[in-house]
Amino acid sequence: MTDPRYTPLALSLPATVPFVGPETQERLRGAPFVARLGANESVFGPSPHAIQAMRAAAGEIWMYGDPENHDLRRTLAHHHGVGVENIVVGEGIDGLLGYLVRLLIGPGDAVVTSDGAYPTFNYHVAGFWGALHKVPYRNDHEDPAALFAKAAEVGAKLVYLANPDNPMGSWHSGADIMAAMEALPAGCLLVLDEAYVECAPEGTAALVAADDPRIIRMRTFSKVYGMAGARVGYAIAAPGLILAFNKVRNHFGMNRAAQAGALAAQRDADWLAQIQAQITEARERIGQIARDNGLEPLPSATNFVAIDCGRDGEFAKAVLDALVAQGIFVRMPFAAPQNRCIRVSCGTASDLQAFAAALPKALAGAASILA
Amino acid sequence: MTDPRYTPLALSLPATVPFVGPETQERLRGAPFVARLGANESVFGPSPHAIQAMRAAAGEIWMYGDPENHDLRRTLAHHHGVGVENIVVGEGIDGLLGYLVRLLIGPGDAVVTSDGAYPTFNYHVAGFWGALHKVPYRNDHEDPAALFAKAAEVGAKLVYLANPDNPMGSWHSGADIMAAMEALPAGCLLVLDEAYVECAPEGTAALVAADDPRIIRMRTFSKVYGMAGARVGYAIAAPGLILAFNKVRNHFGMNRAAQAGALAAQRDADWLAQIQAQITEARERIGQIARDNGLEPLPSATNFVAIDCGRDGEFAKAVLDALVAQGIFVRMPFAAPQNRCIRVSCGTASDLQAFAAALPKALAGAASILA
């Protein structure tokens, strides 16, 4: 009896995971985390209306969700001042990025991203045998000019840019990004990941014509809306590109309760404003904790703060390990020089108190190991 | 400004949907359906424990689900007497079929299925440019011997067989399928879709060695477990194949509440038994309604019944349209000669009463149109 005959592409891929989940780490350490501050989830939770909608939908979960996501798309379209034909809803931005890469990228096709940007995007590019080109961050910011110049140089079909950025929390104005796009080569699509844009200053979101074929914007209910576990993301783009998702997407892939929850969450502007305020407060608190320990917090337009640990990646990794050992789940950038930082998600007062208590010991421990 | 540069494969695909959802039909007709009997959902709903688990999880939906699906896989492995390494959980069988096809099928690779079997599988095969070969049903049953002979003839990498079958409701014993697999050519993987097997007589599920590399079995919480809207499916196969899913799957794609709900549903054996009894009763009632109208119900090992309308596909389609016009959502087989039937899912007493009331008018209407 012989094994299945995988494609050459599948044989070439490692069976790796872009991120190890906190539950896996908890099982390994044999204890739950004290503070869950590593995945940029929103500990403040979703709108009570969203919770209520999901609970109400539990009883009707025997029905498949609407494969057209009609009601949610209509509400989102109205919110963004675009048409329903400009919106596709999918299983989180991760799912939508997978579909997008599949639509555009075949073996050897050039793709550009920043060195240290979102690993799950890279995972999808590798998964379709794309040729990934990376440009460095510039002063801890993604560098649109360099990204688009590289795209021109290598003939890229797709370029990835997160604004605000993950893992550094830095940002550009939407106007600057639209201006930089003048240099985007013809036929190259910009995927602008705005997962964190609701945490950012006014003017950070790109203002894009609904029929602009050069750009697709990604949004999510996983961050500020506090629904990471629901898996609801969406993209805004020209109708032709939106329609193309119907060629490859899992049409019945959306959870029915998640559809209802996202709809309720989108309509609760008061909750959004309240969470934005809590995020601002938590960012300041994280910054203060960093400074209290002689570390430098980076400015952030997201629901997390990158903290410069003042030395190299090895040191930051030792700090991170020592935090994890104390039950504080945090993560850190993958690539140098950003990996001199640890990345701490906004938490409740109690979460951040636990972080504040653990950090001095983590720093001392790391310093003693790497003296 | 130019359009994105799609892959040749993407350009070749139609932006079609394997199934039009009932919500789309309701929007088109401007009224909700009276009875939702077209998607083989379980109107009886999920276990109250599953509902409770999903409601409880709504408050913690701010957390991503465990990307390893650890607890659910462990419970499923125990239930099936296999190891955790034999189980992969995904976004419904639809999602898992997509991953499986992606792992095995590239341009021109041969795949075999039955003519009129699950369209979403065909959608995935087309989506990776596989060459789909079809064999006819035999007496309204999928024909394992013909499927495997065709697989040998065309050098197929993958063959699809649903047992029990959708849309006909027919079935083979698991022992007969395992015996037929002697003729499965080396290096050809059988995907055995057992979505409905919990509705089938004892002995219908295939008994497979956990390390048998020739077969992957698909199961779901969408049918008897009444959680179609949750999107939880799983597959059972040899560890190497299960591991390969980690190369391509959306690791954080599972809804956290759905994970919790499926775990609770799996553990509620009493509810399962109760639903199995309700399904048996509803099948008998559908059969009686058919016979009362001079039609022949086909034997079913699923949660639906195919009703032979006694004439051709055009007539059955007219009956179906007339039912839909009266607010009865049903579907029908796509391919001849199975399309002489309509397919009616098990419903509540009230659902089936509505169906019973609408059917005579639908038959009379169809007969008058096609006299």
Side-chain angles (χ1 to χ4, degrees):
Chain A
M1 296 194 294
T2 55
D3 281 338
R5 285 176 286 159
Y6 299 103
T7 65
L9 170 52
L11 286 172
S12 80
L13 295 171
T16 51
V17 183
F19 292 102
V20 176
E23 289 82 5
T24 306
Q25 297 182 49
E26 289 176 332
R27 286 188 290 269
L28 288 172
R29 65 192 294 269
F33 282 119
V34 177
R36 184 164 161 136
L37 303 173
N40 301 342
E41 297 157 329
S42 184
V43 303
F44 312 113
S47 156
H49 296 296
I51 293 178
Q52 178 51 37
M54 288 184 279
R55 288 192 173 146
E60 57 181 50
I61 206 77
W62 61 270
M63 290 184 273
Y64 288 102
D66 174 13
E68 296 192 359
N69 298 289
H70 176 272
D71 297 347
L72 181 55
R73 286 169 67 212
R74 195 173 56 177
T75 297
L76 293 169
H78 183 259
H79 175 72
H80 289 287
V82 299
V84 173
E85 68 279 8
N86 294 111
I87 306 272
V88 60
V89 169
E91 306 90 337
I93 289 180
D94 283 2
L96 290 167
L97 285 174
Y99 296 137
L100 179 66
V101 170
R102 180 173 163 194
L103 285 170
L104 294 178
I105 303 304
D109 284 340
V111 180
V112 174
T113 188
S114 303
D115 188 15
Y118 194 43
T120 304
F121 177 73
N122 302 358
Y123 168 81
H124 290 307
V125 172
F128 291 95
W129 240 336
L132 192 63
H133 301 266
K134 297 176 181 174
V135 304
Y137 277 62
R138 183 185 173 92
N139 298 328
D140 298 323
H141 287 66
E142 293 199 49
D143 186 346
L147 285 164
F148 303 159
K150 175 63 78 175
E153 178 194 329
V154 300
K157 293 171 92 172
L158 189 61
V159 53
Y160 176 89
L161 170 60
N163 190 50
D165 172 67
N166 175 20
M168 301 311 281
S170 56
W171 70 102
H172 299 280
S173 75
D176 282 353
I177 287 182
M178 293 310 291
M181 277 182 66
E182 298 296 320
L184 189 73
C188 177
L189 181 74
L190 171 62
V191 49
L192 183 65
D193 184 342
E194 296 187 329
Y196 296 96
V197 79
E198 295 91 351
C199 321
E202 191 73 26
T204 304
L207 292 176
V208 182
D211 61 350
D212 190 330
R214 302 172 303 163
I215 183 169
I216 182 168
R217 288 170 287 162
M218 298 281 180
R219 298 290 187 98
T220 184
F221 287 89
S222 298
K223 302 304 178 187
V224 178
Y225 289 99
M227 292 175 55
R231 314 314 301 129
V232 187
Y234 62 102
I236 314 168
L241 179 52
I242 293 300
L243 194 64
F245 281 84
N246 279 341
K247 299 178 172 200
V248 296
R249 71 187 180 92
N250 186 359
H251 288 266
F252 286 85
M254 292 299 295
N255 181 291
R256 187 177 184 96
Q259 292 174 323
L263 193 60
Q266 177 65 43
R267 287 174 174 160
D268 192 349
D270 291 346
W271 182 258
L272 178 65
Q274 185 182 321
I275 297 302
Q276 287 166 327
Q278 288 185 270
I279 287 171
T280 302
E281 195 178 329
R283 283 196 306 232
E284 285 167 9
R285 178 72 186 121
I286 296 170
Q288 191 56 52
I289 294 167
R291 280 185 294 267
D292 290 348
N293 286 273
L295 307 180
E296 186 61 31
L298 274 63
S300 169
T302 63
N303 72 347
F304 62 85
V305 177
I307 298 176
D308 186 338
C309 292
R311 291 174 58 178
D312 61 3
E314 194 182 5
F315 181 74
K317 178 65 165 58
V319 174
L320 180 142
D321 289 343
L323 286 169
V324 166
Q326 294 177 78
I328 312 296
F329 170 51
V330 292
R331 285 197 177 124
M332 63 181 289
F334 292 90
Q338 299 95 275
N339 67 357
R340 70 189 190 283
C341 300
I342 58 172
R343 193 194 68 180
V344 182
S345 306
C346 289
T348 62
S350 148
D351 291 330
L352 297 185
Q353 196 169 343
F355 170 62
L359 185 57
K361 206 166 143 191
L363 288 166
S368 73
I369 293 168
L370 301 170
Chain B
M1 294 195 295
T2 54
D3 281 338
R5 286 177 285 159
Y6 300 102
T7 65
L9 170 52
L11 286 171
S12 80
L13 295 171
T16 50
V17 182
F19 292 102
V20 176
E23 289 82 6
T24 306
Q25 296 183 50
E26 288 176 332
R27 286 189 289 269
L28 288 172
R29 65 193 293 271
F33 282 120
V34 176
R36 185 165 161 133
L37 303 174
N40 301 342
E41 299 157 328
S42 184
V43 302
F44 312 113
S47 157
H49 296 296
I51 293 178
Q52 178 53 36
M54 288 185 279
R55 287 192 173 145
E60 56 181 50
I61 205 79
W62 61 271
M63 291 183 272
Y64 288 102
D66 173 15
E68 297 192 359
N69 298 289
H70 176 272
D71 298 348
L72 181 55
R73 286 168 68 213
R74 196 173 55 177
T75 297
L76 293 169
H78 182 260
H79 174 72
H80 289 287
V82 299
V84 172
E85 69 278 8
N86 294 111
I87 306 272
V88 59
V89 169
E91 305 91 338
I93 289 179
D94 283 2
L96 290 168
L97 286 175
Y99 296 137
L100 180 67
V101 169
R102 181 172 163 196
L103 285 170
L104 294 178
I105 304 304
D109 284 340
V111 180
V112 173
T113 188
S114 303
D115 188 16
Y118 196 43
T120 303
F121 177 72
N122 302 358
Y123 168 81
H124 290 306
V125 172
F128 292 95
W129 239 338
L132 192 64
H133 302 265
K134 297 176 182 175
V135 304
Y137 278 61
R138 183 186 173 91
N139 297 327
D140 297 323
H141 288 64
E142 293 200 50
D143 186 346
L147 285 164
F148 302 159
K150 175 62 78 174
E153 177 194 330
V154 299
K157 294 171 91 173
L158 189 61
V159 54
Y160 176 90
L161 169 61
N163 190 52
D165 172 67
N166 175 21
M168 302 309 283
S170 54
W171 70 102
H172 299 279
S173 75
D176 282 353
I177 287 183
M178 294 309 291
M181 277 181 67
E182 299 295 319
L184 189 73
C188 178
L189 182 74
L190 170 63
V191 48
L192 183 65
D193 185 341
E194 296 187 327
Y196 296 96
V197 79
E198 296 91 351
C199 319
E202 190 74 25
T204 304
L207 291 176
V208 182
D211 60 350
D212 190 330
R214 301 173 302 165
I215 183 169
I216 182 168
R217 288 170 286 162
M218 299 280 179
R219 298 289 187 100
T220 184
F221 286 89
S222 297
K223 302 303 177 187
V224 179
Y225 289 99
M227 292 175 56
R231 314 314 303 128
V232 186
Y234 62 102
I236 314 169
L241 178 52
I242 293 300
L243 194 64
F245 281 84
N246 279 340
K247 298 179 171 199
V248 296
R249 71 188 181 92
N250 186 1
H251 288 268
F252 287 85
M254 291 299 296
N255 181 291
R256 188 179 184 95
Q259 291 174 323
L263 193 59
Q266 178 64 44
R267 288 174 173 159
D268 192 350
D270 291 346
W271 183 260
L272 178 64
Q274 185 181 322
I275 297 304
Q276 287 166 327
Q278 287 185 270
I279 287 171
T280 302
E281 195 179 329
R283 283 196 305 233
E284 285 167 7
R285 177 76 185 116
I286 295 170
Q288 191 57 51
I289 294 167
R291 280 185 293 265
D292 289 348
N293 286 274
L295 307 180
E296 186 60 32
L298 274 62
S300 168
T302 64
N303 71 346
F304 61 85
V305 177
I307 298 176
D308 186 338
C309 292
R311 291 175 56 177
D312 61 4
E314 194 182 4
F315 181 75
K317 178 67 165 55
V319 174
L320 180 140
D321 288 345
L323 286 168
V324 165
Q326 294 176 79
I328 312 295
F329 169 52
V330 291
R331 287 198 175 122
M332 63 180 290
F334 292 90
Q338 298 94 275
N339 67 357
R340 70 189 189 283
C341 299
I342 59 171
R343 193 194 67 180
V344 182
S345 307
C346 289
T348 62
S350 148
D351 290 330
L352 297 185
Q353 197 170 344
F355 170 63
L359 185 58
K361 205 166 142 191
L363 287 167
S368 73
I369 294 168
L370 300 170

